[in-house]
Amino acid sequence: MFLHCFGYGIKNLLRSRDYLFWSLGFSIILATLFHVAFGDLSKGEGFIPIPTAVVLEESCPQPLKDVLDTLGEPGDGQLLEIQYASQEEAESLLKGKKVSGILFVGENVSLSVSGDMTYDKLNQSILQSLAESLHGSYEAVSEAAARSPEKLPQILAALQKDAAHNQEINYAGRNLDEGLTYFFNLIAMTCLTGSTAGAVTAAASQANLSELGKRKSVTPGKKQVRILAEVAATILMQFFAVSISVVYMWAVLGVDLGSSAGYVLLTVLAGSMAGVSGGFFAGCIGKSSIHVKIGVLMAITMLCSFFSGLMVGGMKLLVQRYAPWFNRINPAALISDSLYSLAVYESHTRFFQCIGGLFIISALFILAGAAMVRRQRYASL
Amino acid sequence: MSQPIVKIENVVKRYRELVALDHFNLQIEEGEIFGLLGPNGSGKTTTINCILSLLTYDKGSIQVFGKEMRPDSYESKRQIGVIMQNVAVFDELTVYENIDYFCGLYIRDKKTRRQYVEEAVEFVGLQDFSRFYPKKLSGGLLRRLNIACGIAHKPRLIIMDEPTVAVDPQSRNKILEGIEDLNKQGATIIYTTHYMEEAEQICSRIAIMDKGRNLALGTKEELKQMIKKSEGISIEILNLEERHIAELRALKHVYEVRYANHHLEVLCSGGAHNLSRVLEYLQKEELPFGRVYSELPTLNDVFLEITGKELRD
């Protein structure tokens, strides 16, 4: 029964013009418009070191200072263009837009950036990631030192030599054209449009929501198996639709999505799962008509995309400053951040964190939805 | 005596304050075309949904094929075909694919399934439309597809919930003929309708429902014998005095005489030759009259007499 329902689920979606438009056509049209708006992305610049003011506090441990010096060393791997300064001088440099941010390095590592969120946001984002990374590493060293103070010199020496430490904050030197983030967000939005198909799948499976659901509910065989097959078919179709859009962006529009095609497809799969499962969950709640649910889901998709920066470039950073937890549960932000991590970082730590988040969100939605549709008899239809 | 194919005992179903089924009892025997007749809102669809275990009920029990019906009664469900009141098919699948999809939920063997689907397509007369999408079908053809989806797996019990609503007369006749054919092939059929003509035409037994209660049960002849009226005579007549009306009322077997708008209506209970007696009286009184109709009681008369309202009120 699984294969029977799965096969017909695919066939059904393949012929649905509405579905194909929203999952494929719409994203291709938008991508083309973005391409026209942002120009030829293939002519992107190489990585330019980020002008950064560093305020060294007395408590700054030498290993951290050494790491900063390494990051500021001229050459291919140069990440920062460091100006050591007092706090007043640094603030003056930031005010005059001579630097992208100020790193305060002492017992803690903190970052200060311009209040104008539309200013130099890509560099600010990189600096924020760098500050978090340095701070995290320092905390780990402090904790280790507290447990075994006699070993502190060796630990610090090890940190200084630890190449892995710098890999996390080493950037791939790839094209960091700001327009690329709009394409990442577009891919995220396209993944999430699968929520409408997820909602339709849920509605078509329940006797209290549709005539089709009623007819299916009187057939023999386990309801969960049938629903699982239909949700799996919807996820697969969404994955294919978004993958086609991604291939179009890469092959036709020349959008540089990095060299890790497998990871990009993994992101598309995780994103499609999150979108479809979110829609499936919403489709299982309440008895509102499917049209109302689709309307609400489209609104949520656009809202998530807005907060991840589809319409306003600096939005994700703004959210990161005032409500960082939202970026960790917003699937659009997680999808675009995964793609961003692939394009920017050599390390895949952040990428897998985002992908993990997406899989967790998907699993929660599917489990919650499945728990709701377990019900097989209704008080009213 | 064989056990009933469906046995409903003392079922009560409430929608908050509204009692949809009020201590409802019913037994349906194998091989019947059983009609559930009642106006809209009388509880027919609720009965069907309770039989299919789609709805919870507050009291009573329902057995199908001698076993209590539950949502996981897969063996029983395998032998049931359902045709819902509203068309339930996929718009993006063709006629053939729709039937194949639903048949596939019952029949695993592909070869058998192909054979069953082709037979179902032929049975409902959709051979020329098997590659059509539902949107391209007329209302009548769509209803036939809806039926094919419910019967393709050759069920032993077929439940049809008002399958002819909003169907043109030609398709309706085709559907009714099809139901009789299915019954001849051995299927037991539960047929809900508010069209008394349909119930009279095809049902071997009928239950009349109203407000969730089973008001009367029997063959159409048995139901008609339950009421006082055995013949209704209508005559167009220009002038009639009160004296004539009183004298007509005094004729043998006549129990009601009404006259309004030059239209005389005489209701008789039992007996024979009622029409000739009335006409003889009119000729004797030299009263000129126009068209004459004589009607035997209908199920609507039965419903009217039992509930005091028309079936389609």
Side-chain angles (χ1 to χ4, degrees), chain B residues 21-79:
Chain B
L21 290 179
D22 188 1
H23 297 89
F24 190 77
N25 291 285
L26 197 64
Q27 284 198 16
I28 298 167
E29 306 297 333
E30 186 138 29
E32 285 190 292
I33 300 182
F34 190 91
L36 272 178
L37 182 65
N40 291 328
S42 58
K44 304 185 297 292
T45 301
T46 299
T47 305
I48 296 302
N49 288 335
C50 286
I51 292 173
L52 293 170
S53 206
L54 288 171
L55 278 177
T56 56
Y57 43 89
D58 303 284
K59 197 180 165 189
S61 73
I62 296 176
Q63 289 190 353
V64 179
F65 305 121
K67 290 176 185 166
E68 189 197 350
M69 191 63 179
R70 296 158 45 90
D72 59 355
S73 301
Y74 299 136
E75 261 322 297
S76 296
K77 283 183 171 185
R78 204 173 290 285
Q79 301 177 71

Side-chain angles (χ1 to χ4, degrees), chain B residues 88-244:
Chain B
V89 295
F90 292 95
D91 287 340
E92 281 77 22
L93 300 183
T94 64
V95 165
Y96 186 94
E97 288 166 345
N98 263 297
I99 302 170
D100 185 56
Y101 172 80
F102 287 108
C103 189
L105 298 178
Y106 297 83
I107 308 288
R108 288 191 178 177
D109 180 60
K110 280 188 180 177
K111 198 177 164 191
T112 310
R113 198 168 84 213
R114 193 178 303 123
Q115 182 200 329
Y116 280 15
V117 173
E118 280 165 8
E119 285 175 10
V121 169
E122 196 177 340
F123 182 78
V124 294
L126 288 175
Q127 300 96 313
D128 296 337
F129 304 93
S130 63
R131 287 177 183 273
F132 279 49
Y133 289 95
K135 279 180 184 172
K136 300 281 181 188
L137 300 179
S138 68
L141 294 180
L142 204 53
R143 286 274 166 187
R144 290 197 224 168
L145 169 61
N146 198 37
I147 291 172
C149 291
I151 57 128
H153 59 286
K154 299 195 185 299
R156 196 172 144 203
L157 170 64
I158 300 171
I159 298 175
M160 297 182 152
D161 191 7
E162 308 212 28
T164 57
V165 171
V167 167
D168 60 275
Q170 192 189 349
S171 286
R172 175 176 294 187
N173 285 335
K174 177 88 184 162
I175 290 169
L176 295 179
E177 284 168 18
I179 292 167
E180 288 179 307
D181 285 345
L182 286 168
N183 181 244
K184 281 175 194 161
Q185 289 168 19
T188 303
I189 290 160
I190 301 175
Y191 188 85
T192 80
T193 183
H194 61 267
Y195 296 127
M196 59 182 178
E197 307 86 355
E198 290 184 359
E200 286 208 58
Q201 187 181 335
I202 64 167
C203 295
S204 48
R205 277 203 311 152
I206 297 161
I208 294 180
M209 289 186 74
D210 191 39
K211 294 178 179 170
R213 303 186 75 173
N214 187 351
L215 300 179
L217 176 70
T219 63
K220 58 190 170 191
E221 291 79 16
E222 286 169 346
L223 289 172
K224 287 172 188 174
Q225 280 169 9
M226 289 177 189
I227 61 169
K228 197 174 177 184
K229 180 182 168 185
S230 65
E231 187 175 4
I233 298 164
S234 299
I235 302 171
E236 284 178 6
I237 191 162
L238 275 178
N239 293 307
L240 208 61
E241 296 170 9
E242 281 299 318
R243 174 180 68 86
H244 295 129

Side-chain angles (χ1 to χ4, degrees), chain A residues 4-5 8 11-12 15-16 207 211-212 214-222 230 376-381, chain B residues 13 15 49 53-56 71 74 77 82 84 86 88 90 92 97 100-102 104 106 133 146 149:
Chain A
H4 178 75
C5 295
Y8 270 111
K11 204 178 262 189
N12 195 31
R15 293 178 187 165
S16 168
E211 288 299 316
L212 267 175
K214 208 186 275 183
R215 173 163 263 166
K216 288 178 188 175
S217 297
V218 298
T219 60
K222 286 192 175 175
E230 288 169 0
Q376 303 200 35
R377 270 207 272 206
Y378 303 88
S380 67
L381 292 174
Chain B
K13 169 66 189 171
Y15 295 115
N49 288 335
S53 206
L54 288 171
L55 278 177
T56 56
Y74 299 136
K77 283 183 171 185
V82 183
M84 298 293 181
N86 298 315
F90 292 95
E92 281 77 22
E97 288 166 345
D100 185 56
Y101 172 80
F102 287 108
Y106 297 83
Y133 289 95
N146 198 37
C149 291

Side-chain angles (χ1 to χ4, degrees), chain A residues 195-218 223 226-227 230 278-294 297 368-370 372-381, chain B residues 49 54-55 84 86-89:
Chain A
S195 60
T196 57
V200 171
T201 303
S205 297
Q206 294 192 84
N208 64 337
L209 295 180
S210 68
E211 288 299 316
L212 267 175
K214 208 186 275 183
R215 173 163 263 166
K216 288 178 188 175
S217 297
V218 298
K223 192 177 180 181
R226 196 183 65 239
I227 290 175
E230 288 169 0
F280 172 70
F281 173 71
C284 295
I285 304 172
K287 284 186 75 174
S288 311
S289 85
I290 187 64
H291 301 292
V292 171
K293 286 182 178 175
I294 285 176
L297 283 168
M372 276 188 271
V373 297
R374 265 177 59 197
R375 192 168 148 219
Q376 303 200 35
R377 270 207 272 206
Y378 303 88
S380 67
L381 292 174
Chain B
N49 288 335
L54 288 171
L55 278 177
M84 298 293 181
N86 298 315
V87 174
V89 295

Side-chain angles (χ1 to χ4, degrees), chain B residues 1-4 27 29:
Chain B
M1 189 180 165
S2 63
Q3 61 176 2
Q27 284 198 16
E29 306 297 333

Side-chain angles (χ1 to χ4, degrees), chain B residues 237 239-241 244 281-289:
Chain B
I237 191 162
N239 293 307
L240 208 61
E241 296 170 9
H244 295 129
Y281 172 81
L282 295 178
Q283 283 168 341
K284 190 183 83 182
E285 293 293 318
E286 296 182 340
L287 291 166
F289 55 86

